Amino acid sequence: MARTTIDGADIRLPATILGVGFGGFVDGILLHQVLQWHHMLSSTGADHIGVREYPVDTVPGLQMNTLWDGLFHVVTWVAVLTGLALLYARVTRSRGRLWRSPALWGWALVGWGLFNLVEGTVDHQLLGIHHVRGGPHQTAWDIGFLVLGAGLIAVGWAVQRRAGAVDLCADRR
């Protein structure tokens, strides 16, 4: 298993953080904005912690949901920037090869899967502030999100395990 680059840099943590940010972007852009299946507070009023209801079919409710969606995007943006900064600081040679490395993308998939598992468990199950898609099959959608997260972790783990030292070494001349 390739854990380090030719510089001796361990890329597992930065790549995982990068994957968390990417996973958050996919969730926020695809599910919140494009498909509009949910927003950060779209299940409040029926949540598990007693947050006031912010219905998305009213202007004040949509304003509050949009604000919290924006804060969510800030957090995912910070995760991406942190992952990139850590990669840049740790990998000083052969950065071009790093972007083609199965180690990087495998760990990024692990990070995306971790995002799904944590966000799905905390926001959907424990807090109940929103669900993947409300309605009669809400639980199935939420479980599917968790299963997708576990699948991303499994695929990411397999991808990073097939990375060899050559994937992270200096380019051959």
Side-chain angles (χ1 to χ4, degrees), residues 23-102:
F25 276 144
V26 170
D27 180 284
I29 293 168
L30 184 64
L31 301 181
H32 294 216
Q33 295 175 323
V34 175
L35 297 174
Q36 298 179 21
W37 283 1
H38 70 261
H39 298 280
M40 283 305 295
L41 304 176
S42 58
S43 292
T44 55
D47 59 82
H48 304 301
I49 57 172
V51 177
R52 182 182 143 216
E53 183 176 14
Y54 294 104
V56 296
D57 57 352
T58 67
V59 172
L62 193 53
Q63 286 174 325
M64 185 59 78
N65 273 285
T66 302
L67 170 66
W68 279 93
D69 284 353
L71 294 172
F72 171 75
H73 281 111
V74 168
V75 170
T76 60
W77 182 239
V78 168
V80 167
L81 291 178
T82 301
L84 289 173
L86 287 171
L87 278 173
Y88 185 81
R90 290 183 182 195
V91 179
T92 58
R93 300 188 335 208
S94 203
R95 288 186 179 128
R97 182 167 286 236
L98 174 68
W99 292 108
R100 298 184 302 270
S101 169

Side-chain angles (χ1 to χ4, degrees), residues 71-169:
L71 294 172
F72 171 75
H73 281 111
V74 168
V75 170
T76 60
W77 182 239
V78 168
V80 167
L81 291 178
T82 301
L84 289 173
L86 287 171
L87 278 173
Y88 185 81
R90 290 183 182 195
V91 179
T92 58
R93 300 188 335 208
S94 203
R95 288 186 179 128
R97 182 167 286 236
L98 174 68
W99 292 108
R100 298 184 302 270
S101 169
L104 173 68
W105 298 110
W107 285 112
L109 286 172
V110 168
W112 182 355
L114 287 172
F115 165 82
N116 277 26
L117 289 180
V118 171
E119 200 268 343
T121 300
V122 173
D123 290 343
H124 305 168
Q125 304 303 315
L126 297 176
L127 302 178
I129 58 174
H130 70 258
H131 299 279
V132 174
R133 187 165 188 175
H137 304 291
Q138 173 176 295
T139 302
W141 284 103
D142 286 350
I143 290 170
F145 191 77
L146 295 172
V147 169
L148 174 62
L152 288 167
I153 290 170
V155 169
W157 184 259
V159 167
Q160 67 81 28
R161 283 189 51 86
R162 74 178 175 91
V166 70
D167 293 314
L168 293 171
C169 291

